[in-house]
Every structure is written in C-alpha cells, then in structure tokens.
Amino acid sequence: MQPEDTPVLRAAVIGCGDISAQHLAAIAAHGAVRLVGVVDPDPAPRAAASAAHGVPGYASVGELLAEGGTDVVHVCTPHSEHAPAVLEALAAGVHVLTEKPLAHTLADAERLVEAADAAWLAGRTQLGVCFQNRYNAPVAAMRDLLASGTLGAVIGAQATVMWHRPPEYYAARPWRGTWAGSGGGLLMNQAIHTLDLLQWLVGPAQVVDGRASARVLGDVIEVEDTADLVLEHAGGQRSVFFATNANGLNAPVTLDVQTESAELSLRGDLTVRFADGRVETVEESGVLPGERSYWGASHRLLIADFYRSVAAGERFWIGAQEASESLRLIKDVYARSYSPGAWA
C-alpha cells in the first residue's frame, strides 16, 4: 500500500488494441497511478475499454489533452501513429511511454529524439519506449554476467525468431502488412525485440549484410515475413540473426553468446556452460499463459520502473535515442532489400 501522501499520477492509454491490455493491467496494479481515460478513433474498442475500466473515452489525443488532468500517456497505436501521438503529448508537457518501435520511419524517429531531448530539458518530461524483454530475469542475468568481465571477452553471438503468422493475423489488423501502417513486417513487429537484445548484450552494431523478403506471404502482405542479418559489433564481434513468420508454430526465441570461458544460451531460461564443466541456470519466473506467451511478462516491471523514473525526476534509461538503435539496423536491411520508394 502506498503512503497517503504519495502523489498519484494520472494516466491515459492511447490505442485500445491487443497490446493495450498489458498497459491497462500494469496501471491497475500500480498503487500510485490512476487511469483517467482511453483514446481510440474507432468507436467500438473505445467504448469497450471505457466501459471495462470506468473511465471516459476520447476519439483523439487532442480531445484527451484539451480536458487536462493527464500526467502520462501510454501509446499503444499502430506504428505509423506513434510519432504524432508522442509529439502532441510531449508538446503539452505530458510524459509518454510508447510501444516499440519508436516510429515507423527513421525521419520520424529522429524527430522524436529531438523532441524528447527538448522536453526533458524544458521540464523533465519523459519519453520511454517499451523494450520489456530487457527486464526478463534470464536476460538481465545474461547482461550482468557479460558486463562483469568474469567470462572473458565476447567472441560472437547468434539469435533466431522462428514464429508463425497466418494470413488471418494480417487481415485482422491490415496496417500490419503495409509499409505505410507498420513501417515493415517481421523485423518491425516481432524480431525487433531480439535485435534490441543482441545490440544491448553484445554492444552497438552495424549491418554487415542483410536481406528481407516475403517468402511465403507475398500474396498477402507487401512487407517481409523472413529476414537474415550479419551484424558487426563495436568490439569487433560478429553476430548472426535469422527470423521468420513462416514457421509452422511459435518456437522459443533463441539467443546464444560465446565468450572466452563460457557459452550462454537463452531459451526462455538462461543456461550458462562454463569451460570448467559447471552449468548454471536462471529460470524465467514470469511467463504469460495462453497463445500470447511470447509477449513475455515484463511489461509490468518496465512500466513500474518508468513511473519510478517519473516520480524521481530521473530520465528513463530506454529512451528515444536508445530505441533508435534497433530501428536503424532494421531500416539498413530494408535499404539493402527494397527500392527506396517502398520502405523509406
């Protein structure tokens, strides 16, 4: 229970689609945050969310902000709507936590980096981005081990995302399969989390080679369903990445890192095999039930940490510049795979 004098932050959720459920649940669970509104231009999901949570529903971000009384907004819209919502909220002095990707184009991402820096300098207004897999216990343990230096230098890494998305997935939300709505396909919607982890764990990266294409769903979507990349990290290490939405099912994400004295293998849980024969495991304690278990269960941890940063006046560590790194890698692959008129 929060002390009686703890200030309560007033939050609203923009976009009432699938991922908003994670944000709404985290807000409800937070003792120092109160939901004051939901926003969606579509009357049906807006009305459903408004009724379910007992708060007003608004058709636009402008309507919400004109009412006043909102301290934080959570942006859960289609990708192409991230930048306009974020910019409008920051301009009003409202803190923002947005879903990934930061934006659907690099130009919009650069605008958000500038706007976030200006908002922070002007009034300590926050912009955070949801890369919640960094909060998974095995991932955090992997990061700590690698950063400690006790395993020796990193030699290389590999990662895979082998998932399944049928035509119905794209038909349910047509923006997902388009450049204009999503800014890309598999890499922007699913694999961006694993690319983010690769560059966070091993170090800043650039694309050595990469290709993306629709190898199975080309008659359904205009973006990619499969991609392969070779990355070179700042320390000279190389990582190899393969991802697809054409697998027969949603297989576990894999991420392996080799160091001078150990092999670290992430398959939900983390297994560390030391050169001296020892084996240690860090289990993932929080797994979502049901068909969306691949989302992970760390949204609540990230959201709580974001609110801690807001309350403390400390800049949240996963901001616009940080979130731009994985987006930059993805857009580099698109530049190698498509004509500029398609993806830019």
Side-chain angles (χ1 to χ4, degrees):
M1 180 177 294
Q2 296 289 326
E4 290 185 4
D5 60 350
T6 299
V8 174
L9 290 165
R10 300 160 297 181
V13 172
I14 302 170
C16 299
D18 294 344
I19 198 62
S20 68
Q22 293 294 310
H23 292 257
L24 290 163
I27 291 169
H30 198 296
V33 183
R34 176 168 59 91
L35 185 70
V36 296
V38 292
V39 179
D40 201 297
D42 189 333
R46 181 175 74 240
S50 175
H53 297 279
V55 296
Y58 301 90
S60 70
V61 178
E63 281 187 22
L64 169 75
L65 297 176
E67 288 273 315
T70 301
D71 302 306
V72 183
V73 295
H74 295 235
V75 176
C76 302
T77 64
H79 300 170
S80 62
E81 299 171 22
H82 285 189
V86 171
L87 290 170
E88 194 167 358
L90 289 179
V94 173
H95 303 289
V96 182
L97 181 63
T98 183
E99 271 295 325
K100 59 74 188 166
L102 175 63
H104 79 306
T105 68
L106 279 176
D108 275 353
E110 290 165 1
R111 281 191 283 271
L112 292 184
V113 170
E114 293 179 2
D117 287 344
W120 176 254
L121 291 173
R124 292 296 187 264
T125 303
Q126 297 268 11
L127 171 58
V129 185
C130 284
F131 280 106
Q132 73 279 357
N133 288 353
R134 294 189 184 193
Y135 285 79
N136 294 346
V139 173
M142 198 173 191
R143 166 77 174 189
D144 289 345
L145 280 168
L146 293 171
S148 72
T150 58
L151 304 182
V154 173
I155 298 169
Q158 310 84 40
T160 66
V161 179
M162 304 279 286
W163 283 0
H164 175 73
R165 293 294 183 274
E168 292 78 14
Y169 167 81
Y170 298 96
R173 301 284 191 275
W175 62 269
R176 290 170 173 160
T178 67
W179 295 110
S182 183
L186 156 85
L187 289 174
M188 291 286 275
N189 272 319
Q190 288 84 35
I192 190 171
H193 283 293
T194 308
L195 277 175
D196 173 70
L197 293 184
L198 265 179
Q199 60 87 31
W200 185 54
L201 293 167
V202 182
Q206 62 182 7
V207 177
V208 174
D209 194 15
R211 294 292 183 272
S213 61
R215 302 179 194 177
V216 174
L217 297 168
D219 58 343
V220 176
I221 58 176
E222 61 185 33
V223 294
E224 85 285 0
D225 60 32
T226 302
D228 51 85
L229 292 73
V230 178
L231 303 176
E232 183 174 291
H233 298 267
Q237 306 92 341
R238 181 168 294 168
S239 61
V240 179
F241 180 81
F242 177 78
T244 186
N245 275 340
N247 203 35
L249 47 74
N250 289 318
V253 171
T254 74
L255 200 162
D256 300 322
V257 179
Q258 294 78 40
T259 75
E260 291 175 322
S261 62
E263 294 184 4
L264 298 85
S265 180
L266 190 68
R267 305 286 190 280
D269 299 340
L270 170 64
T271 301
V272 184
R273 295 179 175 86
F274 296 90
D276 62 10
R278 288 179 297 129
V279 178
E280 294 183 2
T281 301
V282 178
E283 295 183 354
E284 176 54 77
S285 57
V287 178
L288 289 176
E291 63 180 23
R292 289 180 176 146
S293 61
Y294 51 78
W295 273 352
S298 293
H299 262 98
R300 188 171 297 187
L301 295 175
L302 182 147
I303 291 169
D305 198 24
F306 177 77
Y307 278 104
R308 181 201 59 76
S309 296
V310 170
E314 302 169 359
R315 198 166 189 184
F316 187 60
W317 67 294
I318 310 177
Q321 186 62 57
E322 184 83 2
S324 295
E325 296 307 311
S326 51
L327 182 63
R328 176 180 55 81
L329 296 176
I330 290 169
K331 294 300 186 177
D332 191 339
V333 174
Y334 291 159
R336 297 165 185 265
S337 306
Y338 299 98
S339 64
W343 65 272

